[in-house]
Amino acid sequence: MWNIARTLTGDNEDQEEGLLGEDSGGLCSLSTTQSMIVFAKPIKFAALFTFGNLLAVGSTAFLLGPAQQLGMMVDPVRVFATAIYLGCVVIALICALWIHSKVLTIIAIIIEIGALI
């Protein structure tokens, strides 16, 4: 945490490598296993990722109001992305929690992320 504060304030003259170099100063302290949790435990990741996305949509509905949020989601420009997103949310949860298929879960997550973008 202190490394992030030093980086943001510019107090990191002793660091010679960039943020993406080998010596990141603890900014990226995840191991390879931790950063690849999507492939190591995709069912757990899918459940947490999907519930997190639902909370994010719910929080914007709280800030904007549910009627305005739904109106924006069914806007003609966004209606297909919304349908794909909601469908993939349901499919990801079914594949993760009921079917327990890792491959289908990863595919549903990838399509869900694409719909969000």
Side-chain angles (χ1 to χ4, degrees):
M1 183 67 157
W2 296 109
N3 291 331
I4 293 172
R6 279 190 282 152
T7 301
L8 292 176
T9 60
D11 188 25
N12 59 347
E13 291 86 20
D14 57 336
Q15 282 186 316
E16 295 178 6
E17 293 287 328
L19 291 176
L20 299 176
E22 287 183 24
D23 183 26
S24 63
L27 286 176
C28 184
S29 60
L30 292 177
S31 69
T32 306
T33 305
Q34 291 171 329
S35 62
M36 299 303 289
I37 194 74
V38 174
F39 301 110
K41 297 181 181 180
I43 293 173
K44 182 178 180 179
F45 175 78
L48 294 175
F49 180 76
T50 303
F51 286 130
N53 280 334
L54 291 176
L55 288 175
V57 170
S59 66
T60 56
F62 176 77
L63 292 173
L64 296 173
Q68 186 177 1
Q69 175 74 22
L70 285 174
M72 290 171 55
M73 288 175 70
V74 296
D75 188 46
V77 176
R78 296 185 183 128
V79 71
F80 293 116
T82 300
I84 292 170
Y85 172 73
L86 292 176
C88 285
V89 164
V90 171
I91 291 170
L93 287 176
I94 288 172
C95 290
L97 301 176
W98 190 36
I99 298 174
H100 298 289
S101 173
K102 293 180 180 181
V103 174
L104 292 176
T105 303
I106 290 174
I107 291 171
I109 289 173
I110 291 170
I111 297 171
E112 185 179 333
I113 291 170
L116 282 173
I117 292 173

